[in-house]
Amino acid sequence: MFYPMDKGWLRWLPPFVQKRLQGRYTVQTILVNASWLLIDRIIRIGVNLIVGVWVARYLGPAQFGLYNYAFGFVSLFAPLAYLGLENVTVRELVREPDAKDEILGSTLILRLIGGVALVILTLTAIVWLRPYDPAMAWLVSAVALGNLLLAWETIDYWFQSQTLSQYTVYARNIAFLLATLLKIFLIQQQAPLVAFAWVWTTEVGLMAIAQITAYHYNQGRITHWRPTFKRAASLLRHSYPLMLSSFSIIFYMRIDQVMLGNLVGDHAVGIYSVAVRVSEAFYFVPSAITTSVAPSIVSARQTDLRLYQQRLQHTFNLLMVSSYGICTIMAVSAAIIVPLVFGAEYADASPVLIIHIWSLIFVFLTLAREIWIIAEGVTYVSFVASTTGAIANFLLNLYLIPRYGALGAAIATLISYGLSAYGVFILVPKFWSLGKIMTRALLLTWLIPSQR
């Protein structure tokens, strides 16, 4: 839907900004479409943040650090449970709808095998790393089992292929609501730490039951699924590059918490996790915007290169303005917000947040970059960028964490995210076309009034 420039909030913008937005219906379309996506995500993230704060205050930094270490540790192995199958399975279901029972059955078996491998590897690794910490072994067991049960997300792939994702939303929200109530109950009952980890597994189990129910409601029958070795091998052959890319992404997003726990201690992980949670609470913003605009950009790539470049630039511009606004507000107010919301015990997280929040800029860039990667058909670029970021993050953490603790982990995150999201695209000549678009957006040159 297009709204004339003389109506709505746009009329309150400076004249030179209005001039630049004239005719750029994509910017207005992004805002309108994104608003619908934002409603559901804001409610979910808002509730999760409130309850997460409650849990953090109840557990205290040390136990909250143990809790987040367990989730961070298991997430390093999470790609084994997913196997990069989502997009591949959805694509095959769209191409061969009559073979859905074979495709879904094969996907489920692959994901169950991957989940079992994850459980075995995580338990073996945690016993090796922390042999005298049975509490951590129990935490990791609970989280790993939840990842195994995620195999039932296979049902969601079918809903996606049929554009019936509302059923998955219902299932997730029901499970999320019940899990939230359970966390509140555990706090009231002063439950032990491990109980909160089992809530995650319970939530995944409830979500699986809801999805199975929704699938049967839509005339689907899991008993009709027929996995075959040939189909499983075909799916895996197409998905393993995506799985390898996921390993790189997860590694450089979560290795900081694991290294911080091993090199400094669980208390430092608790302090750092607060800063990370606040930063990650804003990830839904670029996700909602890019989801709305991606189809129009990809379609323009096929018909009008000039329009394609314009839409791409406008998207990056909008994301950068949004990220700068969020980062500035949070950096200025961190010293007040963190102790006020999480309690005086977490006051040391304020300087960590002041640094870590600026990594949002590069998260926003990364999500916008993925549109370009899809439109250009250069999926290998994600692997190159994420691997570069993973290596940089590991080396920087290895140097900075022993010296500066949680603050060092935040610095490592900021630098490595910047290198992965932006540095690669200005250092490699082949990617300079996107690097220029990113640079214009980062420098906000579009806001400078033209002399013409």
Side-chain angles (χ1 to χ4, degrees):
M1 184 180 295
F2 177 82
Y3 294 98
M5 186 60 69
D6 61 345
K7 293 183 179 180
W9 64 270
L10 289 171
R11 69 176 183 272
W12 300 106
L13 294 176
F16 67 88
V17 175
Q18 289 190 33
K19 180 179 179 181
R20 281 159 178 74
L21 292 178
Q22 283 286 359
R24 297 178 182 181
Y25 68 90
T26 56
V27 174
Q28 297 174 61
T29 303
I30 294 170
L31 294 171
V32 173
N33 290 340
S35 65
W36 291 101
L37 293 170
L38 287 174
I39 292 173
D40 177 66
R41 297 183 186 186
I42 286 175
I43 293 173
R44 186 181 177 89
I45 291 173
V47 172
N48 201 29
L49 184 60
I50 292 170
V51 177
V53 168
W54 200 352
V55 171
R57 293 179 72 108
Y58 168 71
L59 294 176
Q63 284 203 310
F64 192 58
L66 282 168
Y67 179 77
N68 283 281
Y69 180 95
F71 276 91
F73 185 80
V74 174
S75 70
L76 294 178
F77 300 85
L80 284 174
Y82 290 90
L83 297 173
L85 284 167
E86 179 175 2
N87 292 331
V88 174
T89 300
V90 172
R91 182 193 67 190
E92 293 303 304
L93 287 169
V94 172
R95 288 179 176 177
E96 302 180 62
D98 293 337
K100 74 165 187 174
D101 292 330
E102 180 184 333
I103 295 169
L104 293 172
S106 300
T107 298
L108 178 63
I109 291 298
L110 285 173
R111 289 207 54 174
L112 286 172
I113 293 172
V116 171
L118 176 143
V119 172
I120 294 172
L121 285 173
T122 51
L123 288 178
T124 302
I126 200 63
V127 169
W128 176 68
L129 281 173
R130 302 176 72 149
Y132 305 108
D133 194 349
M136 180 55 67
W138 278 108
L139 285 171
V140 168
S141 298
V143 179
L145 182 59
N147 278 269
L148 172 60
L149 294 177
L150 280 172
W152 289 103
E153 280 186 340
T154 298
I155 296 172
D156 178 41
Y157 303 162
W158 181 78
F159 282 126
Q160 289 184 44
S161 71
Q162 302 298 307
T163 62
L164 295 172
S165 292
Q166 66 267 28
Y167 289 100
T168 299
V169 172
Y170 298 152
R172 287 177 176 167
N173 285 337
I174 291 171
F176 173 71
L177 176 61
L178 293 175
T180 299
L181 294 174
L182 183 55
K183 286 179 183 178
I184 295 172
F185 174 77
L186 290 176
I187 293 172
Q188 296 295 330
Q189 297 299 312
Q190 297 186 333
L193 171 61
V194 70
F196 291 89
W198 282 107
V199 170
W200 151 249
T201 304
T202 302
E203 180 177 352
V204 176
L206 291 171
M207 185 171 65
I209 293 171
Q211 287 180 325
I212 292 171
T213 302
Y215 185 70
H216 279 258
Y217 176 79
N218 283 274
Q219 310 305 315
R221 294 292 178 269
I222 293 174
T223 53
H224 293 169
W225 289 6
R226 295 291 181 268
T228 65
F229 179 82
K230 182 179 179 181
R231 177 69 68 175
S234 175
L235 290 169
L236 201 56
R237 186 170 62 253
H238 289 93
S239 70
Y240 85 88
L242 299 174
M243 179 186 67
L244 294 177
S245 180
S246 295
F247 267 117
S248 296
I249 294 170
I250 290 293
F251 185 86
Y252 93 85
M253 289 188 70
R254 289 290 177 255
I255 192 61
D256 45 8
Q257 294 182 359
V258 175
M259 294 181 70
L260 195 58
N262 290 334
L263 296 174
V264 180
D266 298 320
H267 183 277
V269 179
I271 295 298
Y272 182 72
S273 297
V274 164
V276 172
R277 287 197 171 214
V278 173
S279 294
E280 291 183 348
F282 296 99
Y283 282 13
F284 73 95
V285 177
S287 178
I289 293 174
T290 54
T291 299
S292 296
V293 73
S296 66
I297 293 177
V298 173
S299 63
R301 176 65 178 83
Q302 309 300 321
T303 58
D304 188 333
L305 288 178
R306 186 170 178 273
L307 180 61
Y308 164 68
Q309 292 287 337
Q310 287 179 344
R311 290 181 175 179
L312 203 57
Q313 185 70 67
H314 299 162
T315 301
F316 275 96
N317 292 346
L318 180 60
L319 287 171
M320 286 305 93
V321 169
S322 304
S323 66
Y324 283 144
I326 293 170
C327 292
T328 301
I329 292 171
M330 292 307 302
V332 170
S333 59
I336 299 173
I337 290 177
V338 172
L340 181 65
V341 175
F342 289 91
E345 287 183 299
Y346 291 95
D348 289 343
S350 297
V352 179
L353 177 59
I354 290 172
I355 293 175
H356 193 279
I357 194 68
W358 293 100
S359 64
L360 272 182
I361 293 172
F362 302 111
V363 173
F364 279 47
L365 277 182
T366 297
L367 288 172
R369 180 196 72 195
E370 293 304 305
I371 301 176
W372 175 83
I373 288 173
I374 293 171
E376 298 292 333
V378 287
T379 52
Y380 71 92
V381 174
S382 286
F383 180 73
V384 172
S386 59
T387 301
T388 301
I391 295 172
N393 202 14
F394 177 77
L395 295 176
L396 287 166
N397 277 315
L398 202 59
Y399 177 79
L400 293 171
I401 286 178
R403 290 165 175 79
Y404 306 107
L407 204 61
I411 296 170
T413 296
L414 178 60
I415 297 173
S416 61
Y417 278 27
L419 181 61
S420 173
Y422 179 63
V424 170
F425 296 87
I426 59 173
L427 295 174
V428 180
K430 190 174 182 180
F431 305 148
W432 278 354
S433 61
L434 184 63
K436 291 177 181 177
I437 291 175
M438 288 182 172
T439 301
R440 293 191 198 104
L442 281 166
L443 297 177
L444 299 179
T445 56
W446 70 289
L447 288 175
I448 301 173
S450 175
Q451 299 301 317
R452 291 181 298 174

